[in-house]
Every structure is written in C-alpha cells, then in structure tokens.
C-alpha cells in the first residue's frame, strides 16, 4: 500500500522539521525535501499536498531560494508558511514589501472563518508571527483571509486552486490551536485520510526488508542505544539468523549495562549476537590520556578497529545496518550538506568491512517515532526511553586519566543516583542525569579518621534539544539521600556536589 504523502519544501526556516512532525502527528506521512526538487521528482512522489516552509531570505533578493514554477500547475493543494507565503505571492504576481520593523511574538490575528483553512476557529486567534517582509498585494485569484494590527495580509486563499498562504507559524506550540490549521489543510483541503500509523510502518518495513534482503546476510553494530536497537530488532524480525549483531563493549558503559544489552538481544529476541569484551584494550589505549578530545578520538578509532576485526571473521556480507534516523539525513534546501551520523556516533563508518550496501530502516523516522516502533516491537521500556548516553561513555565523565578503579567508583555512584531518581519518579522530567568523577580529592572525616578522597559531581539537565538546557531543581531531600548513599556505599568518595550550571555557558557533559 502506498502511503498518502505531504511534501514539505524546505526553504531553510528553523521550524521545518517541526512542520513535518506535526503533519505526522495527524497520521499523514510527510517528507522534507530541498526547495529546488525537480518537478519530475514531485510528480513521481505524487503528494496529496505541498507545504512551503519559512526561511530567512527575502523573496525579492537576487538568489533567493525559489521552487520550480510548474509546481503551481500540478493541481496539488499548496500551503505557504511565512517565506513560503511571500514566495507564492511573488511567483504568482502579487507584491511583497519590507516592513519598517519586525513583527515578532504571539499576536492577535483576525481571521475569516468561512475559509476551509480556518474552519471551526473563532474570528480572533493568537498565533506566532515572526517576520519583517509581508504580502502587500495578494496575487490575482487570491483573497485576503486574515490580518493583524500591523500585517494587512496575514493569510490568503485561492479557493479554486486550493493555494493558501499564512504569515504566522501554525506548527509551534505558541500558536494556540495551530495544529488545527494544519489539520484543516490536510483533511479539508488536501482530503487526506490520515491512516499512517507506526504499527503499519513497522509491519510494512519488516516486509520490505524481507523482500529486499531475502536470504542474504546483514551485519549490525549494536550499541545498546535506542536507534541501533530498534534497527537491529526490525532486521531480525525480517531476516532472523541471517542478521548478525556485533556489540562492542568498551567497558565504559554504565553499571551492568553490557549484560543488560546482551540479555535483551540474545535471550529475548534470539538474535545472533557477538559481544566483544574489549575493556582492557580500550583502557590500555586510554592510559595516561587526559585531554577530552583525545579520549574521544582514541575511543572512536578503537571502536572501528574492534568492529572491523570481528566483521572480518564473519567474512563478506551483503548489507551493513545503520541506525540513521530522519533528522540526521534531512537535506536542507539551502545547500547545507546532509549529515550522516554513524549509529555508534563515536567514529564513523568502518573502512574495511566487506559489504555491498547500507540498509537504514529508520531513515524516515523521528526519534519519538523510533521509540514508538521500539515499543511496538516489544523492546523493554527502559531501553526505549533510555536517556542519551555519549558514544565515548564514562571516559568523558572521569575528569583526567582513566583507571579501572576510577571506573568502578563512577559506575557505583552513577547507579545510586539513577536508582534514586527513578524511585522518586523524576526520571520522566529530567532529560539527562548522571554522576561525574571529578579529579578532585579533598579532606573529609569518617568515623574517627581523616579521609582524603574523591569528589563526585551530580549533573541533571532538563532540555528538549540538548543544545540548550537548564539544571534540574531536584528536591533537596532527594539530593541528600543520594549524597548520603554515595559516601556511605562507594569507597573512596567523601564528598558529593551538585552542578547548578545551565547550558550555555556550561555543556551537559563535563568533558
Ligand atoms: P554537551 O556536553 O555538548 O552534550 O552539552 C550534548 C549532548 O551530546 C552528548 N554528547 C555526546 N554524544 N559522543 C556522543 O555520542 C560524544 O562525544 C558526546 N559528547 C556529548 C551528551 O551526552 C548530551 O546528550
């Protein structure tokens, strides 16, 4: 069955992925494509509707990003958002002008609710405006359907051709009920059915993988993270024992994590799993290394070497499985090259693995969709909702050089912290939380004796994008319990501190 598709033409705006997600939340499959996609390609994809995103350019500038003019002759409904509306205006003969000052923030928008786009809305609505340019004159065949105090044409429609333009951003949460504008476009204007759901995606993907791979062999590097785990289980459902997973345990995982990963994949899913216990090898390479970037580089390179050695033992394979997800591959229309993240994201692609083709079953999914797929496949919740864990692992949470003793101290302290956070039910609100072994020793007193031992720092951050974040206001009683347990239960720790810096200026990790 072919999914109905909404094509999102990317003009470089900051909310482009969000638009795609919102459309998918309405159970309609959407894809973000560069603005200059060819008309043939659009025809091939046969979308039910097209959305032009916002973007930073002014459409009257030379070299402003423009789509193919023939797009307006396809008979497909179009919704232009912000720059998308201005571009549509410019290309169809209306006039775009520059205002004296920027209109920014949630703004009262007066709308004409007889338009299908605003069906069900009151006449005044609060939407996010963020623009300097505006549509001064709508193109022929269009009529004005919204305005604000400083923007005469905040929305426009060509009812017959099903072309719509909106100056505000319906995709952001600040636009009250903005999702309804998107729904109106999808269901009333494009006549979508809205039958795209993760369970059908999962079943279709397994079937597609079966057809594609058949009886041939695939290899997957399993890190225990969400993406590679979901990719591995999908593949295993499709090709069973023709999939081999290599799990390189660098010894820098959290307490018991290696065994947990092995248990899930070997016992629960009966996957052909090779676990390589390479702790000594990694620790040896890291001896005396204190520079964080050097640690990352060494671990990344060693990871690849170990993977390659194991892969060589297996010999030639047909497919290499990658856990690449959609945000990693979206190509911006403004010429930024697409970024392909390797599944273990510490090194890159192995150079010497003998494979013919890469298979990326999660290429079309956002992170939350990957999680839903994981649950659908029966992967345990604690793995599916695992907090992000850096590829170089605990190596970048031990400040200074790494030794086996330090690793044990950190694993124990970190496990107590995580246990108490979960017990207090805070794990759903804190997006990343962990312990750091600072390189600092200080004087303490235990019983009647003086101690001179390590300081553990606790870090807990609330964030959605991990680019910025605030430190989490964990209740004092919980911090107190964690601190007391750590100094009592973990040898060589006599002090616990809590990191109260946000990002920026600090980063989430300490190294
Ligand atoms: P920072 O410390 O830069 O971290 O605020 C942002 C997010 O990225 C993770 N992180 C890494 N992930 N390899 C990874 O795979 C790395 O080298 C690395 N360094 C930081 C970090 O855990 C946080 O989620």
């Amino acid at each position: 069955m072919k999914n109905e598709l909404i094509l999102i033409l990317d003009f470089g705006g900051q909310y482009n992925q969000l638009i795609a997600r919102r459309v998918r939340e309405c159970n309609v499959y959407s894809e973000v494509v560069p603005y200059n996609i060819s008309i043939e390609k659009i025809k091939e994809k046969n979308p039910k509707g097209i959305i032009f995103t916002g973007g930073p350019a002014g459409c009257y500038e030379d070299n402003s990003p423009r789509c193919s003019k023939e797009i307006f002759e396809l008979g497909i409904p179009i919704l232009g958002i912000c720059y998308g509306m201005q571009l549509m205006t410019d290309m169809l003969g209306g006039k775009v002008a520059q205002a004296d000052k920027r209109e920014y923030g949630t703004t009262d928008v007066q709308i004409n609710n007889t338009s299908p786009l605003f069906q069900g809305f009151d006449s005044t609505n609060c939407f996010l405006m963020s623009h300097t340019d505006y549509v001064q004159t709508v193109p022929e065949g269009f009529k004005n359907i919204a305005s604000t105090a400083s923007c005469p044409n905040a929305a426009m429609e060509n009812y017959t051709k099903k072309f719509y333009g909106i100056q505000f951003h319906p995709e952001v949460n600040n636009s009250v009920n903005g999702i309804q504008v998107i729904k109106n476009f999808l269901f009333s204007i494009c006549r979508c059915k809205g039958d795209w759901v993760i369970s059908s995606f999962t079943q279709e993907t397994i079937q597609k993988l079966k057809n594609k791979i058949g009886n041939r062999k695939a290899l997957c590097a399993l890190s225990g993270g969400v993406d590679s785990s979901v990719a591995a289980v999908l593949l295993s459902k499709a090709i069973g024992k023709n999939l081999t997973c290599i799990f390189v345990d660098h010894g820098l995982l959290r307490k018991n994590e290696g065994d947990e990963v092995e248990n899930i994949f070997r016992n629960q899913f009966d996957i052909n799993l090779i676990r390589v216990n390479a702790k000594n090898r990694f620790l040896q390479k890291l001896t005396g290394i204190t520079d964080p970037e050097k640690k990352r580089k060494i671990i990344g390179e060693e990871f690849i070497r170990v993977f390659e050695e194991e892969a060589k033992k297996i010999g030639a394979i047909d497919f290499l499985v990658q856990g690449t997800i959609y945000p990693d591959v979206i190509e911006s229309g403004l010429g930024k090259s697409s970024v392909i993240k390797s599944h273990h994201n510490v090194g890159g692609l192995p150079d010497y693995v003998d494979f013919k083709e890469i298979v990326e079953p999660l290429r079309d999914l956002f992170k939350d969709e990957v999680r839903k797929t994981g649950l659908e496949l029966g992967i345990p919740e604690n793995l599916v909702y695992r907090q992000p864990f850096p590829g170089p692992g605990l190596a970048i949470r031990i400040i200074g050089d790494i030794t086996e003793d330090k690793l044990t101290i950190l694993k124990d302290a970190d496990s107590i912290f995580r246990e108490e956070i979960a017990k207090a039910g805070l794990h759903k609100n804190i997006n990343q939380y962990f312990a750091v072994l600072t390189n600092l020793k200080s004087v303490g007193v235990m019983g009647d004796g003086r101690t001179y031992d390590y300081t553990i720092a606790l870090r807990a951050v609330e964030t959605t994008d991990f680019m910025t974040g605030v430190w989490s206001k964990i209740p004092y009683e919980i911090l107190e319990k964690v601190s007391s347990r750590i100094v009592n239960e973990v040898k060589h720790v006599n002090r616990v501190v809590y990191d109260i810096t946000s990002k920026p200026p600090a980063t989430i990790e300490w190294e």
Side-chain angles (χ1 to χ4, degrees):
M1 183 193 79
K2 184 109 173 67
N3 287 313
E4 36 183 36
L5 168 72
I6 293 292
L7 213 52
I8 297 171
L9 262 57
D10 178 1
F11 289 93
Q14 54 179 324
Y15 302 126
N16 300 350
Q17 287 199 26
L18 198 54
I19 301 172
R21 295 181 55 128
R22 292 284 178 259
V23 173
R24 289 189 189 188
E25 278 164 25
C26 301
N27 299 331
V28 177
Y29 184 67
S30 63
E31 267 179 31
V32 181
V33 293
Y35 69 88
N36 52 5
I37 180 174
S38 71
I39 203 76
E40 289 73 34
K41 198 93 197 172
I42 297 180
K43 283 185 188 158
E44 205 179 289
K45 287 184 177 280
N46 191 24
K48 296 277 284 183
I50 296 173
I51 297 179
F52 294 174
T53 74
C59 62
Y60 42 78
E61 290 165 10
D62 294 343
N63 302 327
S64 60
R66 299 176 96 78
C67 56
S68 158
K69 200 156 183 186
E70 291 152 280
I71 211 164
F72 299 107
E73 284 144 33
L74 295 173
I76 298 174
I78 301 176
L79 173 66
I81 299 177
C82 196
Y83 175 83
M85 173 188 188
Q86 296 158 12
L87 182 74
M88 189 189 279
T89 303
D90 193 67
M91 290 180 77
L92 295 177
K95 187 161 170 37
V96 176
Q98 215 169 1
D100 297 335
K101 62 175 202 291
R102 189 162 171 234
E103 183 180 32
Y104 181 80
T106 43
T107 309
D108 277 347
V109 184
Q110 309 299 325
I111 57 149
N112 172 349
N113 53 14
T114 61
S115 161
L117 194 64
F118 297 135
Q119 196 181 302
F121 278 87
D122 292 335
S123 52
T124 306
N125 293 273
C126 196
F127 294 135
L128 179 82
M129 302 288 275
S130 170
H131 67 115
T132 313
D133 295 350
Y134 68 102
V135 172
Q136 198 174 51
T137 318
V138 301
E140 208 183 305
F142 280 76
K143 72 172 186 195
N144 169 304
I145 51 169
S147 61
T148 72
S150 51
C151 180
N153 292 306
M156 61 183 193
E157 101 177 333
N158 181 327
Y159 181 83
T160 328
K161 295 204 158 154
K162 299 188 174 181
F163 295 160
Y164 290 81
I166 48 182
Q167 186 54 69
F168 57 87
H169 288 273
E171 67 277 19
V172 298
N173 286 334
N174 317 28
S175 285
V176 180
N177 218 7
I179 188 76
Q180 191 57 44
V181 176
I182 295 175
K183 280 187 183 163
N184 286 348
F185 178 67
L186 298 177
F187 301 118
S188 304
I189 297 163
C190 301
R191 302 267 167 218
C192 290
K193 289 199 285 291
D195 51 9
W196 187 75
V197 281
I198 279 292
S199 54
S200 54
F201 167 86
T202 309
Q203 293 317 316
E204 271 166 38
T205 306
I206 293 173
Q207 193 53 49
K208 272 192 214 156
L209 289 168
K210 260 185 199 162
N211 298 345
K212 180 179 173 120
I213 302 180
N215 241 339
R216 291 178 291 169
K217 297 204 179 315
L219 182 66
C220 175
L222 196 62
S223 68
V226 187
D227 303 344
S228 69
S229 299
V230 175
V233 175
L234 271 175
L235 260 291
S236 131
K237 299 264 184 210
I239 63 167
K241 294 281 182 185
N242 277 333
L243 169 74
T244 303
C245 290
I246 298 179
F247 167 41
V248 177
D249 183 351
H250 51 23
L252 304 162
L253 298 171
R254 290 168 296 188
K255 192 173 179 179
N256 300 330
E257 201 164 33
D259 293 344
E260 282 163 18
V261 171
E262 177 169 355
N263 185 36
I264 293 170
F265 291 95
R266 205 187 293 289
N267 300 333
Q268 186 182 338
F269 289 108
D270 194 23
I271 285 178
N272 244 339
L273 177 77
I274 299 172
R275 174 176 176 181
V276 192
N277 289 316
K279 179 169 87 180
N280 292 342
R281 206 171 145 166
F282 278 85
L283 285 186
Q284 204 179 0
K285 288 264 173 191
L286 289 166
T287 309
I289 305 293
T290 55
D291 178 70
E293 285 316 299
K294 271 199 192 131
K295 287 182 184 174
R296 280 193 170 81
K297 195 153 183 283
I298 290 171
I299 295 166
E301 280 172 8
E302 198 58 14
F303 195 101
I304 300 282
R305 295 291 90 79
V306 177
F307 184 75
E308 282 171 354
E309 283 170 27
E310 287 307 312
K312 256 188 211 145
K313 290 184 198 159
I314 300 171
I317 45 133
D318 302 288
F319 296 91
L320 183 69
V321 185
Q322 290 267 296
T324 321
I325 69 171
Y326 199 48
D328 302 329
V329 294
I330 291 187
E331 236 181 286
S332 162
L334 294 183
K336 269 191 277 158
S337 59
S338 69
V339 186
I340 309 278
K341 182 182 71 172
S342 61
H343 45 266
H344 43 72
N345 69 25
V346 286
L349 273 178
D351 302 326
Y352 304 109
V353 175
D354 190 359
F355 68 95
K356 295 195 190 77
E357 213 181 306
I358 286 184
V359 50
E360 297 173 313
L362 309 177
R363 228 186 129 77
D364 295 330
L365 298 189
F366 286 107
K367 192 83 177 186
D368 54 329
E369 295 168 338
V370 174
R371 292 206 162 102
K372 280 188 199 150
T373 308
L375 291 178
E376 174 91 18
L377 290 165
I379 300 177
E381 245 181 65
N382 63 348
L383 199 163
V384 166
Y385 287 102
R386 202 179 90 140
Q387 52 169 314
F389 185 68
L394 301 183
I396 55 165
R397 294 180 181 169
I398 295 176
I399 312 304
D401 71 324
I402 299 158
T403 64
E404 185 139 17
D405 289 344
K406 287 184 187 173
L407 254 180
T408 309
I409 294 173
L410 179 58
K411 281 185 187 181
D412 288 343
D414 181 70
S415 140
I416 291 172
F417 187 32
R418 285 188 292 127
E419 198 181 306
E420 291 301 328
I421 291 290
K423 248 197 241 165
L426 294 176
H427 56 293
K428 295 208 171 102
N429 308 332
I430 310 176
N431 305 94
Q432 205 170 358
Y433 51 99
F434 51 87
V436 174
L437 180 59
T438 69
N439 213 5
L440 181 81
K441 280 189 166 184
S442 70
V443 175
V445 54
M446 224 174 249
D448 289 329
R450 175 190 190 272
T451 56
Y452 188 61
D453 269 326
Y454 285 112
T455 303
I456 282 283
L458 304 175
R459 181 75 166 137
V461 180
E462 289 168 29
T463 170
T464 46
D465 58 7
F466 295 89
M467 313 278 280
T468 60
V470 292
W471 62 277
S472 179
K473 315 295 178 288
I474 296 177
Y476 284 158
E477 315 80 76
I478 294 166
L479 289 172
E480 186 177 27
K481 176 103 188 276
V482 174
S483 159
S484 145
R485 278 195 63 193
I486 290 178
V487 288
N488 279 299
E489 294 173 36
V490 185
K491 269 199 195 127
H492 303 298
V493 177
N494 65 357
R495 195 178 291 271
V496 176
V497 297
Y498 187 45
D499 181 348
I500 52 165
T501 354
S502 290
K503 172 182 180 177
T507 53
I508 295 175
E509 303 288 346
W510 273 40
E511 282 201 333

